[in-house]
Amino acid sequence: MNPKHRKPFSKDILHIENIEEVCNNITEKLRNDVVFKLQRRGAVIGISGGIDSSVCMALSAKAFGPSKVTAIMLPEQDSSEDSKNLALKLADTFNVKILEENITHALDGFGCYQRRDEAIRRVITDFDPNIDKAKIEIRQNIDQNIPAIFSITVIKPDGKTISKLLPAKEYLQIVAATNFKQRSRMSMLYYHAERLHYAVIGTPNKHEVEQGFFVKYGDGGADVMPIGHLYKTQVYQLASHLGVPQEIIDRTPTTDTYTAEQTQEDFFYQMPFESMDLIWYGWENGYSANEVGKVMDKTEQKIHNIYKSFERKKKTTEYLRMRPIF
Amino acid sequence: MITSIDIKNKIKDYIIKTTLANVEDIADDTLIFEEGLLDSMGLLFLIEFLKEEFDITTNDDELIVENFESINNIVDFTKSKL
């Protein structure tokens, strides 16, 4: 963007003024992509009770009509019960047919839990998956200007926590095992999509796509991603406009992947969405760290370090967005 | 006893080997993260290398840029842990 033609950086810079028009444009594009480009007659979407899948389902209902949308809950043994209740409420709100496919047995078959727990136990020897809860998290601040390194945290029944830096081998095994969850969900979504001659609607937002917060051929495996260009705060704006239930809007985004409660901020983003959206926009559109820092009440150096972190995340995750090379 | 020069050579060799960089592109004060030579996994493997080669364990609170941003910094960090 030519700096002369751009708006001064402000906290409102991502606010969508013409929300109705934006929703109409997205639904029209979604309809055209699915019907004409993909030549499918409806949409299958996995819903988790989270904000992104809720907005995608609401957009799909608007694009195709509720009767041409099938929502699928894909819980497993570590999913929270809240997710199911919210997903049911969402489907009811938009009058969309909903199915439940529990993938716990499939994951057991892959050895997902056993492979994950075995790796955790190599780091924290007294980890007992039957009673303890576990999660992986980044414990450095985003502005420390060093690539993110994950730690494993185990929470004992009495609330005592044990946290250790994850060695490479164990980190990779835990992630690889856990990714069976997203990949099993993708397989099940395609089963239903093929059965119905529908398309699979992917739910990642702009941050997930560009920072690589998705599993390749897992939640990144879809036919169309209607909110892949939207910042998280814009997704919330759409949610309110489309009438997504308030409990879903108010819920803190979680990964719903590990046994211990874990926000997406702890796991990956290292900062609140409201700030991340604005600073990412500033970085992507060439606003100086000084200009952004003044608005965000942070030093120029901190914004510079966050810009560096974004660059690193985008570069490191390029592999996830790449098609097979031939 | 291992000398500072030995430590530096081993660390430098490791970084050159794992990043496939040209020797002349990496000076002792090259900022390895800024230059994109190491990412998260690269740093994790480096920590593992330090453990295997020098038997030093890196703790959570030592994961700061001052300990890892260049070969000189990694050498200083390693020496402080030996």
PDB file of all heavy atoms in Angstrom, chain A residues 30 43-47 51-66 69-72 87 89-98 201-203 226-227 242 244:
ATOM      1  N   LEU A  30     -18.913 -17.506  -1.460  1.00  0.00           N
ATOM      2  CA  LEU A  30     -18.957 -18.886  -0.971  1.00  0.00           C
ATOM      3  C   LEU A  30     -19.883 -19.736  -1.855  1.00  0.00           C
ATOM      4  O   LEU A  30     -19.545 -20.859  -2.247  1.00  0.00           O
ATOM      5  CB  LEU A  30     -19.453 -18.870   0.490  1.00  0.00           C
ATOM      6  CG  LEU A  30     -19.513 -20.186   1.249  1.00  0.00           C
ATOM      7  CD1 LEU A  30     -18.147 -20.881   1.265  1.00  0.00           C
ATOM      8  CD2 LEU A  30     -19.983 -19.946   2.686  1.00  0.00           C
ATOM      9  N   ALA A  43     -22.928 -27.708   1.989  1.00  0.00           N
ATOM     10  CA  ALA A  43     -21.730 -27.551   2.817  1.00  0.00           C
ATOM     11  C   ALA A  43     -21.757 -28.451   4.039  1.00  0.00           C
ATOM     12  O   ALA A  43     -22.782 -28.592   4.705  1.00  0.00           O
ATOM     13  CB  ALA A  43     -21.618 -26.097   3.280  1.00  0.00           C
ATOM     14  N   VAL A  44     -20.595 -29.061   4.308  1.00  0.00           N
ATOM     15  CA  VAL A  44     -20.385 -29.798   5.557  1.00  0.00           C
ATOM     16  C   VAL A  44     -19.389 -28.986   6.369  1.00  0.00           C
ATOM     17  O   VAL A  44     -18.395 -28.500   5.836  1.00  0.00           O
ATOM     18  CB  VAL A  44     -19.799 -31.206   5.262  1.00  0.00           C
ATOM     19  CG1 VAL A  44     -19.110 -31.778   6.484  1.00  0.00           C
ATOM     20  CG2 VAL A  44     -20.890 -32.149   4.815  1.00  0.00           C
ATOM     21  N   ILE A  45     -19.692 -28.835   7.651  1.00  0.00           N
ATOM     22  CA  ILE A  45     -18.786 -28.049   8.483  1.00  0.00           C
ATOM     23  C   ILE A  45     -18.664 -28.658   9.876  1.00  0.00           C
ATOM     24  O   ILE A  45     -19.667 -29.053  10.470  1.00  0.00           O
ATOM     25  CB  ILE A  45     -19.254 -26.567   8.527  1.00  0.00           C
ATOM     26  CG1 ILE A  45     -18.317 -25.747   9.392  1.00  0.00           C
ATOM     27  CG2 ILE A  45     -20.682 -26.417   9.009  1.00  0.00           C
ATOM     28  CD1 ILE A  45     -18.439 -24.274   9.127  1.00  0.00           C
ATOM     29  N   GLY A  46     -17.441 -28.771  10.350  1.00  0.00           N
ATOM     30  CA  GLY A  46     -17.216 -29.265  11.710  1.00  0.00           C
ATOM     31  C   GLY A  46     -17.397 -28.107  12.670  1.00  0.00           C
ATOM     32  O   GLY A  46     -16.792 -27.046  12.472  1.00  0.00           O
ATOM     33  N   ILE A  47     -18.239 -28.285  13.673  1.00  0.00           N
ATOM     34  CA  ILE A  47     -18.429 -27.174  14.620  1.00  0.00           C
ATOM     35  C   ILE A  47     -17.989 -27.586  16.022  1.00  0.00           C
ATOM     36  O   ILE A  47     -18.227 -28.691  16.474  1.00  0.00           O
ATOM     37  CB  ILE A  47     -19.868 -26.603  14.615  1.00  0.00           C
ATOM     38  CG1 ILE A  47     -20.911 -27.662  14.935  1.00  0.00           C
ATOM     39  CG2 ILE A  47     -20.175 -25.931  13.287  1.00  0.00           C
ATOM     40  CD1 ILE A  47     -22.284 -27.054  15.193  1.00  0.00           C
ATOM     41  N   ILE A  51     -15.729 -19.600  18.051  1.00  0.00           N
ATOM     42  CA  ILE A  51     -16.230 -18.452  17.283  1.00  0.00           C
ATOM     43  C   ILE A  51     -16.043 -18.645  15.767  1.00  0.00           C
ATOM     44  O   ILE A  51     -16.925 -18.308  14.970  1.00  0.00           O
ATOM     45  CB  ILE A  51     -15.564 -17.137  17.778  1.00  0.00           C
ATOM     46  CG1 ILE A  51     -16.276 -15.914  17.228  1.00  0.00           C
ATOM     47  CG2 ILE A  51     -14.094 -17.088  17.458  1.00  0.00           C
ATOM     48  CD1 ILE A  51     -17.524 -15.560  17.928  1.00  0.00           C
ATOM     49  N   ASP A  52     -14.908 -19.202  15.351  1.00  0.00           N
ATOM     50  CA  ASP A  52     -14.629 -19.298  13.913  1.00  0.00           C
ATOM     51  C   ASP A  52     -15.571 -20.276  13.209  1.00  0.00           C
ATOM     52  O   ASP A  52     -16.164 -19.949  12.175  1.00  0.00           O
ATOM     53  CB  ASP A  52     -13.173 -19.728  13.678  1.00  0.00           C
ATOM     54  CG  ASP A  52     -12.181 -18.706  14.192  1.00  0.00           C
ATOM     55  OD1 ASP A  52     -12.439 -17.502  14.018  1.00  0.00           O
ATOM     56  OD2 ASP A  52     -11.160 -19.100  14.765  1.00  0.00           O
ATOM     57  N   SER A  53     -15.716 -21.470  13.789  1.00  0.00           N
ATOM     58  CA  SER A  53     -16.607 -22.439  13.132  1.00  0.00           C
ATOM     59  C   SER A  53     -18.056 -21.961  13.201  1.00  0.00           C
ATOM     60  O   SER A  53     -18.853 -22.221  12.295  1.00  0.00           O
ATOM     61  CB  SER A  53     -16.450 -23.836  13.741  1.00  0.00           C
ATOM     62  OG  SER A  53     -16.767 -23.851  15.106  1.00  0.00           O
ATOM     63  N   SER A  54     -18.397 -21.220  14.258  1.00  0.00           N
ATOM     64  CA  SER A  54     -19.775 -20.711  14.375  1.00  0.00           C
ATOM     65  C   SER A  54     -20.073 -19.704  13.271  1.00  0.00           C
ATOM     66  O   SER A  54     -21.133 -19.741  12.634  1.00  0.00           O
ATOM     67  CB  SER A  54     -19.984 -20.049  15.743  1.00  0.00           C
ATOM     68  OG  SER A  54     -19.805 -20.994  16.767  1.00  0.00           O
ATOM     69  N   VAL A  55     -19.130 -18.806  13.045  1.00  0.00           N
ATOM     70  CA  VAL A  55     -19.339 -17.795  11.994  1.00  0.00           C
ATOM     71  C   VAL A  55     -19.380 -18.474  10.624  1.00  0.00           C
ATOM     72  O   VAL A  55     -20.226 -18.144   9.777  1.00  0.00           O
ATOM     73  CB  VAL A  55     -18.239 -16.704  12.067  1.00  0.00           C
ATOM     74  CG1 VAL A  55     -18.223 -15.844  10.804  1.00  0.00           C
ATOM     75  CG2 VAL A  55     -18.460 -15.832  13.295  1.00  0.00           C
ATOM     76  N   CYS A  56     -18.502 -19.449  10.411  1.00  0.00           N
ATOM     77  CA  CYS A  56     -18.507 -20.147   9.114  1.00  0.00           C
ATOM     78  C   CYS A  56     -19.831 -20.889   8.906  1.00  0.00           C
ATOM     79  O   CYS A  56     -20.356 -20.912   7.781  1.00  0.00           O
ATOM     80  CB  CYS A  56     -17.341 -21.128   9.034  1.00  0.00           C
ATOM     81  SG  CYS A  56     -15.762 -20.306   8.823  1.00  0.00           S
ATOM     82  N   MET A  57     -20.352 -21.472   9.978  1.00  0.00           N
ATOM     83  CA  MET A  57     -21.633 -22.170   9.818  1.00  0.00           C
ATOM     84  C   MET A  57     -22.757 -21.175   9.522  1.00  0.00           C
ATOM     85  O   MET A  57     -23.615 -21.425   8.663  1.00  0.00           O
ATOM     86  CB  MET A  57     -21.970 -22.998  11.063  1.00  0.00           C
ATOM     87  CG  MET A  57     -22.982 -24.070  10.773  1.00  0.00           C
ATOM     88  SD  MET A  57     -23.965 -24.506  12.217  1.00  0.00           S
ATOM     89  CE  MET A  57     -25.071 -23.106  12.283  1.00  0.00           C
ATOM     90  N   ALA A  58     -22.748 -20.047  10.227  1.00  0.00           N
ATOM     91  CA  ALA A  58     -23.783 -19.030   9.991  1.00  0.00           C
ATOM     92  C   ALA A  58     -23.690 -18.502   8.554  1.00  0.00           C
ATOM     93  O   ALA A  58     -24.719 -18.326   7.876  1.00  0.00           O
ATOM     94  CB  ALA A  58     -23.616 -17.885  10.994  1.00  0.00           C
ATOM     95  N   LEU A  59     -22.484 -18.283   8.074  1.00  0.00           N
ATOM     96  CA  LEU A  59     -22.305 -17.806   6.689  1.00  0.00           C
ATOM     97  C   LEU A  59     -22.776 -18.871   5.693  1.00  0.00           C
ATOM     98  O   LEU A  59     -23.403 -18.553   4.674  1.00  0.00           O
ATOM     99  CB  LEU A  59     -20.828 -17.478   6.428  1.00  0.00           C
ATOM    100  CG  LEU A  59     -20.268 -16.226   7.115  1.00  0.00           C
ATOM    101  CD1 LEU A  59     -18.743 -16.209   7.026  1.00  0.00           C
ATOM    102  CD2 LEU A  59     -20.851 -14.941   6.506  1.00  0.00           C
ATOM    103  N   SER A  60     -22.498 -20.139   6.012  1.00  0.00           N
ATOM    104  CA  SER A  60     -22.911 -21.226   5.108  1.00  0.00           C
ATOM    105  C   SER A  60     -24.432 -21.324   5.057  1.00  0.00           C
ATOM    106  O   SER A  60     -25.016 -21.522   3.983  1.00  0.00           O
ATOM    107  CB  SER A  60     -22.333 -22.562   5.586  1.00  0.00           C
ATOM    108  OG  SER A  60     -20.944 -22.495   5.614  1.00  0.00           O
ATOM    109  N   ALA A  61     -25.075 -21.176   6.219  1.00  0.00           N
ATOM    110  CA  ALA A  61     -26.548 -21.237   6.258  1.00  0.00           C
ATOM    111  C   ALA A  61     -27.131 -20.112   5.420  1.00  0.00           C
ATOM    112  O   ALA A  61     -28.131 -20.282   4.716  1.00  0.00           O
ATOM    113  CB  ALA A  61     -27.029 -21.153   7.704  1.00  0.00           C
ATOM    114  N   LYS A  62     -26.499 -18.958   5.478  1.00  0.00           N
ATOM    115  CA  LYS A  62     -26.958 -17.800   4.693  1.00  0.00           C
ATOM    116  C   LYS A  62     -26.691 -18.019   3.193  1.00  0.00           C
ATOM    117  O   LYS A  62     -27.497 -17.668   2.350  1.00  0.00           O
ATOM    118  CB  LYS A  62     -26.178 -16.569   5.192  1.00  0.00           C
ATOM    119  CG  LYS A  62     -26.747 -15.214   4.833  1.00  0.00           C
ATOM    120  CD  LYS A  62     -25.973 -14.158   5.646  1.00  0.00           C
ATOM    121  CE  LYS A  62     -25.921 -12.798   4.990  1.00  0.00           C
ATOM    122  NZ  LYS A  62     -27.151 -12.094   4.859  1.00  0.00           N
ATOM    123  N   ALA A  63     -25.566 -18.645   2.894  1.00  0.00           N
ATOM    124  CA  ALA A  63     -25.183 -18.827   1.487  1.00  0.00           C
ATOM    125  C   ALA A  63     -26.026 -19.905   0.790  1.00  0.00           C
ATOM    126  O   ALA A  63     -26.428 -19.733  -0.360  1.00  0.00           O
ATOM    127  CB  ALA A  63     -23.702 -19.201   1.396  1.00  0.00           C
ATOM    128  N   PHE A  64     -26.260 -21.016   1.478  1.00  0.00           N
ATOM    129  CA  PHE A  64     -26.895 -22.167   0.811  1.00  0.00           C
ATOM    130  C   PHE A  64     -28.314 -22.438   1.286  1.00  0.00           C
ATOM    131  O   PHE A  64     -29.024 -23.244   0.688  1.00  0.00           O
ATOM    132  CB  PHE A  64     -26.067 -23.441   1.054  1.00  0.00           C
ATOM    133  CG  PHE A  64     -24.614 -23.272   0.691  1.00  0.00           C
ATOM    134  CD1 PHE A  64     -23.637 -23.178   1.677  1.00  0.00           C
ATOM    135  CD2 PHE A  64     -24.221 -23.183  -0.636  1.00  0.00           C
ATOM    136  CE1 PHE A  64     -22.310 -23.004   1.350  1.00  0.00           C
ATOM    137  CE2 PHE A  64     -22.880 -23.016  -0.964  1.00  0.00           C
ATOM    138  CZ  PHE A  64     -21.922 -22.916   0.031  1.00  0.00           C
ATOM    139  N   GLY A  65     -28.715 -21.788   2.403  1.00  0.00           N
ATOM    140  CA  GLY A  65     -29.976 -22.140   3.057  1.00  0.00           C
ATOM    141  C   GLY A  65     -29.684 -23.243   4.064  1.00  0.00           C
ATOM    142  O   GLY A  65     -28.858 -24.128   3.774  1.00  0.00           O
ATOM    143  N   PRO A  66     -30.343 -23.231   5.235  1.00  0.00           N
ATOM    144  CA  PRO A  66     -30.005 -24.202   6.291  1.00  0.00           C
ATOM    145  C   PRO A  66     -30.151 -25.658   5.848  1.00  0.00           C
ATOM    146  O   PRO A  66     -29.404 -26.522   6.309  1.00  0.00           O
ATOM    147  CB  PRO A  66     -31.017 -23.889   7.408  1.00  0.00           C
ATOM    148  CG  PRO A  66     -31.486 -22.511   7.132  1.00  0.00           C
ATOM    149  CD  PRO A  66     -31.376 -22.279   5.656  1.00  0.00           C
ATOM    150  N   VAL A  69     -26.960 -27.408   4.571  1.00  0.00           N
ATOM    151  CA  VAL A  69     -25.770 -27.379   5.426  1.00  0.00           C
ATOM    152  C   VAL A  69     -25.879 -28.498   6.460  1.00  0.00           C
ATOM    153  O   VAL A  69     -26.935 -28.682   7.068  1.00  0.00           O
ATOM    154  CB  VAL A  69     -25.642 -26.012   6.160  1.00  0.00           C
ATOM    155  CG1 VAL A  69     -24.420 -26.007   7.085  1.00  0.00           C
ATOM    156  CG2 VAL A  69     -25.551 -24.870   5.157  1.00  0.00           C
ATOM    157  N   THR A  70     -24.805 -29.266   6.625  1.00  0.00           N
ATOM    158  CA  THR A  70     -24.760 -30.276   7.689  1.00  0.00           C
ATOM    159  C   THR A  70     -23.604 -29.931   8.621  1.00  0.00           C
ATOM    160  O   THR A  70     -22.455 -29.826   8.182  1.00  0.00           O
ATOM    161  CB  THR A  70     -24.565 -31.692   7.104  1.00  0.00           C
ATOM    162  OG1 THR A  70     -25.721 -32.006   6.320  1.00  0.00           O
ATOM    163  CG2 THR A  70     -24.424 -32.728   8.216  1.00  0.00           C
ATOM    164  N   ALA A  71     -23.958 -29.708   9.884  1.00  0.00           N
ATOM    165  CA  ALA A  71     -22.931 -29.397  10.892  1.00  0.00           C
ATOM    166  C   ALA A  71     -22.583 -30.692  11.626  1.00  0.00           C
ATOM    167  O   ALA A  71     -23.458 -31.499  11.917  1.00  0.00           O
ATOM    168  CB  ALA A  71     -23.465 -28.364  11.867  1.00  0.00           C
ATOM    169  N   ILE A  72     -21.304 -30.867  11.900  1.00  0.00           N
ATOM    170  CA  ILE A  72     -20.875 -32.103  12.554  1.00  0.00           C
ATOM    171  C   ILE A  72     -20.012 -31.787  13.782  1.00  0.00           C
ATOM    172  O   ILE A  72     -19.033 -31.045  13.673  1.00  0.00           O
ATOM    173  CB  ILE A  72     -20.091 -33.003  11.565  1.00  0.00           C
ATOM    174  CG1 ILE A  72     -20.972 -33.233  10.340  1.00  0.00           C
ATOM    175  CG2 ILE A  72     -19.692 -34.325  12.228  1.00  0.00           C
ATOM    176  CD1 ILE A  72     -20.379 -34.105   9.290  1.00  0.00           C
ATOM    177  N   ALA A  87     -22.308 -26.012  20.564  1.00  0.00           N
ATOM    178  CA  ALA A  87     -22.514 -26.422  19.165  1.00  0.00           C
ATOM    179  C   ALA A  87     -23.997 -26.735  18.919  1.00  0.00           C
ATOM    180  O   ALA A  87     -24.559 -26.362  17.880  1.00  0.00           O
ATOM    181  CB  ALA A  87     -21.640 -27.633  18.855  1.00  0.00           C
ATOM    182  N   LYS A  89     -26.530 -25.503  20.525  1.00  0.00           N
ATOM    183  CA  LYS A  89     -27.275 -24.239  20.551  1.00  0.00           C
ATOM    184  C   LYS A  89     -27.092 -23.489  19.226  1.00  0.00           C
ATOM    185  O   LYS A  89     -28.031 -22.898  18.693  1.00  0.00           O
ATOM    186  CB  LYS A  89     -26.784 -23.391  21.732  1.00  0.00           C
ATOM    187  CG  LYS A  89     -27.567 -22.115  21.885  1.00  0.00           C
ATOM    188  CD  LYS A  89     -27.481 -21.555  23.273  1.00  0.00           C
ATOM    189  CE  LYS A  89     -28.467 -20.400  23.358  1.00  0.00           C
ATOM    190  NZ  LYS A  89     -28.491 -19.773  24.646  1.00  0.00           N
ATOM    191  N   LEU A  90     -25.893 -23.527  18.703  1.00  0.00           N
ATOM    192  CA  LEU A  90     -25.611 -22.835  17.436  1.00  0.00           C
ATOM    193  C   LEU A  90     -26.455 -23.423  16.304  1.00  0.00           C
ATOM    194  O   LEU A  90     -27.106 -22.684  15.543  1.00  0.00           O
ATOM    195  CB  LEU A  90     -24.123 -22.979  17.099  1.00  0.00           C
ATOM    196  CG  LEU A  90     -23.711 -22.379  15.770  1.00  0.00           C
ATOM    197  CD1 LEU A  90     -23.567 -20.868  15.884  1.00  0.00           C
ATOM    198  CD2 LEU A  90     -22.406 -22.984  15.263  1.00  0.00           C
ATOM    199  N   ALA A  91     -26.435 -24.748  16.196  1.00  0.00           N
ATOM    200  CA  ALA A  91     -27.178 -25.402  15.115  1.00  0.00           C
ATOM    201  C   ALA A  91     -28.669 -25.091  15.243  1.00  0.00           C
ATOM    202  O   ALA A  91     -29.354 -24.843  14.246  1.00  0.00           O
ATOM    203  CB  ALA A  91     -26.921 -26.902  15.153  1.00  0.00           C
ATOM    204  N   ASP A  92     -29.140 -25.089  16.473  1.00  0.00           N
ATOM    205  CA  ASP A  92     -30.556 -24.800  16.716  1.00  0.00           C
ATOM    206  C   ASP A  92     -30.882 -23.359  16.301  1.00  0.00           C
ATOM    207  O   ASP A  92     -31.909 -23.098  15.666  1.00  0.00           O
ATOM    208  CB  ASP A  92     -30.827 -25.027  18.214  1.00  0.00           C
ATOM    209  CG  ASP A  92     -32.287 -24.905  18.528  1.00  0.00           C
ATOM    210  OD1 ASP A  92     -33.089 -25.574  17.836  1.00  0.00           O
ATOM    211  OD2 ASP A  92     -32.641 -24.121  19.439  1.00  0.00           O
ATOM    212  N   THR A  93     -29.987 -22.437  16.620  1.00  0.00           N
ATOM    213  CA  THR A  93     -30.214 -21.022  16.287  1.00  0.00           C
ATOM    214  C   THR A  93     -30.391 -20.823  14.777  1.00  0.00           C
ATOM    215  O   THR A  93     -31.224 -20.035  14.336  1.00  0.00           O
ATOM    216  CB  THR A  93     -29.005 -20.166  16.776  1.00  0.00           C
ATOM    217  OG1 THR A  93     -28.872 -20.363  18.169  1.00  0.00           O
ATOM    218  CG2 THR A  93     -29.189 -18.688  16.464  1.00  0.00           C
ATOM    219  N   PHE A  94     -29.598 -21.547  14.001  1.00  0.00           N
ATOM    220  CA  PHE A  94     -29.645 -21.350  12.545  1.00  0.00           C
ATOM    221  C   PHE A  94     -30.423 -22.453  11.826  1.00  0.00           C
ATOM    222  O   PHE A  94     -30.416 -22.509  10.590  1.00  0.00           O
ATOM    223  CB  PHE A  94     -28.213 -21.239  11.984  1.00  0.00           C
ATOM    224  CG  PHE A  94     -27.529 -19.987  12.428  1.00  0.00           C
ATOM    225  CD1 PHE A  94     -26.715 -19.975  13.537  1.00  0.00           C
ATOM    226  CD2 PHE A  94     -27.752 -18.787  11.755  1.00  0.00           C
ATOM    227  CE1 PHE A  94     -26.098 -18.814  13.973  1.00  0.00           C
ATOM    228  CE2 PHE A  94     -27.141 -17.612  12.173  1.00  0.00           C
ATOM    229  CZ  PHE A  94     -26.312 -17.620  13.294  1.00  0.00           C
ATOM    230  N   ASN A  95     -31.063 -23.313  12.638  1.00  0.00           N
ATOM    231  CA  ASN A  95     -31.918 -24.363  12.078  1.00  0.00           C
ATOM    232  C   ASN A  95     -31.163 -25.303  11.130  1.00  0.00           C
ATOM    233  O   ASN A  95     -31.675 -25.709  10.080  1.00  0.00           O
ATOM    234  CB  ASN A  95     -33.101 -23.703  11.348  1.00  0.00           C
ATOM    235  CG  ASN A  95     -34.266 -24.640  11.211  1.00  0.00           C
ATOM    236  OD1 ASN A  95     -34.384 -25.596  11.977  1.00  0.00           O
ATOM    237  ND2 ASN A  95     -35.105 -24.396  10.216  1.00  0.00           N
ATOM    238  N   VAL A  96     -29.921 -25.586  11.512  1.00  0.00           N
ATOM    239  CA  VAL A  96     -29.061 -26.443  10.685  1.00  0.00           C
ATOM    240  C   VAL A  96     -29.038 -27.854  11.285  1.00  0.00           C
ATOM    241  O   VAL A  96     -28.983 -28.013  12.499  1.00  0.00           O
ATOM    242  CB  VAL A  96     -27.629 -25.853  10.629  1.00  0.00           C
ATOM    243  CG1 VAL A  96     -26.607 -26.865  10.148  1.00  0.00           C
ATOM    244  CG2 VAL A  96     -27.611 -24.621   9.719  1.00  0.00           C
ATOM    245  N   LYS A  97     -29.081 -28.861  10.402  1.00  0.00           N
ATOM    246  CA  LYS A  97     -29.025 -30.251  10.868  1.00  0.00           C
ATOM    247  C   LYS A  97     -27.644 -30.540  11.489  1.00  0.00           C
ATOM    248  O   LYS A  97     -26.619 -30.154  10.935  1.00  0.00           O
ATOM    249  CB  LYS A  97     -29.255 -31.194   9.689  1.00  0.00           C
ATOM    250  CG  LYS A  97     -29.313 -32.662  10.118  1.00  0.00           C
ATOM    251  CD  LYS A  97     -29.897 -33.537   9.047  1.00  0.00           C
ATOM    252  CE  LYS A  97     -29.000 -33.560   7.829  1.00  0.00           C
ATOM    253  NZ  LYS A  97     -29.418 -34.445   6.762  1.00  0.00           N
ATOM    254  N   ILE A  98     -27.651 -31.226  12.643  1.00  0.00           N
ATOM    255  CA  ILE A  98     -26.379 -31.473  13.323  1.00  0.00           C
ATOM    256  C   ILE A  98     -26.200 -32.959  13.627  1.00  0.00           C
ATOM    257  O   ILE A  98     -27.153 -33.639  13.996  1.00  0.00           O
ATOM    258  CB  ILE A  98     -26.267 -30.605  14.611  1.00  0.00           C
ATOM    259  CG1 ILE A  98     -24.871 -30.748  15.240  1.00  0.00           C
ATOM    260  CG2 ILE A  98     -27.360 -30.913  15.623  1.00  0.00           C
ATOM    261  CD1 ILE A  98     -24.544 -29.645  16.234  1.00  0.00           C
ATOM    262  N   ILE A 201     -16.279 -27.028   4.444  1.00  0.00           N
ATOM    263  CA  ILE A 201     -15.975 -25.621   4.727  1.00  0.00           C
ATOM    264  C   ILE A 201     -14.892 -25.571   5.803  1.00  0.00           C
ATOM    265  O   ILE A 201     -15.063 -26.099   6.901  1.00  0.00           O
ATOM    266  CB  ILE A 201     -17.242 -24.875   5.248  1.00  0.00           C
ATOM    267  CG1 ILE A 201     -18.432 -25.092   4.299  1.00  0.00           C
ATOM    268  CG2 ILE A 201     -16.950 -23.395   5.466  1.00  0.00           C
ATOM    269  CD1 ILE A 201     -18.258 -24.564   2.899  1.00  0.00           C
ATOM    270  N   GLY A 202     -13.774 -24.944   5.477  1.00  0.00           N
ATOM    271  CA  GLY A 202     -12.680 -24.798   6.448  1.00  0.00           C
ATOM    272  C   GLY A 202     -12.904 -23.566   7.302  1.00  0.00           C
ATOM    273  O   GLY A 202     -13.439 -22.557   6.818  1.00  0.00           O
ATOM    274  N   THR A 203     -12.481 -23.644   8.568  1.00  0.00           N
ATOM    275  CA  THR A 203     -12.810 -22.551   9.477  1.00  0.00           C
ATOM    276  C   THR A 203     -11.648 -21.647   9.899  1.00  0.00           C
ATOM    277  O   THR A 203     -11.868 -20.714  10.670  1.00  0.00           O
ATOM    278  CB  THR A 203     -13.464 -23.127  10.757  1.00  0.00           C
ATOM    279  OG1 THR A 203     -12.515 -23.961  11.421  1.00  0.00           O
ATOM    280  CG2 THR A 203     -14.701 -23.937  10.430  1.00  0.00           C
ATOM    281  N   PRO A 226     -13.994 -19.545   4.047  1.00  0.00           N
ATOM    282  CA  PRO A 226     -14.663 -18.241   3.863  1.00  0.00           C
ATOM    283  C   PRO A 226     -14.175 -17.114   4.764  1.00  0.00           C
ATOM    284  O   PRO A 226     -14.389 -15.944   4.438  1.00  0.00           O
ATOM    285  CB  PRO A 226     -16.139 -18.557   4.154  1.00  0.00           C
ATOM    286  CG  PRO A 226     -16.142 -19.822   4.921  1.00  0.00           C
ATOM    287  CD  PRO A 226     -14.922 -20.586   4.501  1.00  0.00           C
ATOM    288  N   ILE A 227     -13.510 -17.433   5.893  1.00  0.00           N
ATOM    289  CA  ILE A 227     -13.027 -16.330   6.747  1.00  0.00           C
ATOM    290  C   ILE A 227     -11.491 -16.299   6.803  1.00  0.00           C
ATOM    291  O   ILE A 227     -10.913 -15.678   7.688  1.00  0.00           O
ATOM    292  CB  ILE A 227     -13.621 -16.387   8.177  1.00  0.00           C
ATOM    293  CG1 ILE A 227     -13.245 -17.691   8.894  1.00  0.00           C
ATOM    294  CG2 ILE A 227     -15.133 -16.207   8.153  1.00  0.00           C
ATOM    295  CD1 ILE A 227     -13.506 -17.649  10.408  1.00  0.00           C
ATOM    296  N   LEU A 242     -24.352 -11.624  12.530  1.00  0.00           N
ATOM    297  CA  LEU A 242     -25.080 -12.795  12.014  1.00  0.00           C
ATOM    298  C   LEU A 242     -25.998 -13.436  13.055  1.00  0.00           C
ATOM    299  O   LEU A 242     -26.798 -14.308  12.727  1.00  0.00           O
ATOM    300  CB  LEU A 242     -24.070 -13.850  11.516  1.00  0.00           C
ATOM    301  CG  LEU A 242     -23.262 -13.463  10.269  1.00  0.00           C
ATOM    302  CD1 LEU A 242     -22.034 -14.357  10.126  1.00  0.00           C
ATOM    303  CD2 LEU A 242     -24.116 -13.546   9.010  1.00  0.00           C
ATOM    304  N   VAL A 244     -24.880 -15.020  16.033  1.00  0.00           N
ATOM    305  CA  VAL A 244     -24.277 -16.168  16.743  1.00  0.00           C
ATOM    306  C   VAL A 244     -24.592 -16.006  18.236  1.00  0.00           C
ATOM    307  O   VAL A 244     -24.506 -14.888  18.768  1.00  0.00           O
ATOM    308  CB  VAL A 244     -22.744 -16.193  16.491  1.00  0.00           C
ATOM    309  CG1 VAL A 244     -22.039 -17.153  17.431  1.00  0.00           C
ATOM    310  CG2 VAL A 244     -22.461 -16.541  15.034  1.00  0.00           C
TER     311      VAL A 244
END
